[in-house]
């Protein structure tokens, strides 16, 4: 959420979020939920909107959203 107008910072944040929220084991699912509860989805969407012409932010942001929102359980569907 820091430096919302600096594309490279937002790119790094999206990359980190995608990495943190990877994994399909119980720990990975728990990280996804904690990230979502902390506002990760909104932060990534804000980065995507602020840098709509920056391909790297768009690519990494979409990947981060996929990872945060992944899940077949009720929590995953709610995210």
């Amino acid at each position: 959420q820091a430096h919302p107008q600096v594309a490279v910072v937002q790119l790094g944040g999206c990359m980190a979020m995608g990495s943190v929220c990877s994994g399909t084991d119980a720990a990975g699912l728990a990280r996804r939920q904690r990230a979502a509860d902390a506002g990760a989805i909104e932060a990534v969407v804000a980065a995507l909107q602020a840098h709509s012409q920056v391909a790297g932010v768009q690519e990494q942001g979409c990947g981060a959203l996929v990872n945060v929102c992944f899940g077949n359980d009720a929590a995953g569907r709610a995210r």
Side-chain angles (χ1 to χ4, degrees):
Q1 294 176 344
H3 309 288
Q5 297 307 317
V6 182
V8 70
V9 173
Q10 299 304 305
L11 173 63
C14 289
M15 291 174 70
M17 187 60 56
S19 293
V20 166
C21 293
S22 63
T24 57
D25 60 351
L29 296 175
R31 288 190 304 271
R32 283 184 178 92
Q33 191 59 51
R34 284 194 306 272
D37 291 344
I41 295 170
E42 294 82 359
V44 171
V45 169
L48 291 169
Q49 291 174 332
H51 303 287
S52 62
Q53 301 301 313
V54 181
V57 174
Q58 296 298 306
E59 292 170 9
Q60 295 300 321
C62 288
L65 288 177
V66 167
N67 283 358
V68 172
C69 294
F70 175 83
N72 294 327
D73 59 346
R77 288 188 295 277
R79 289 189 295 272

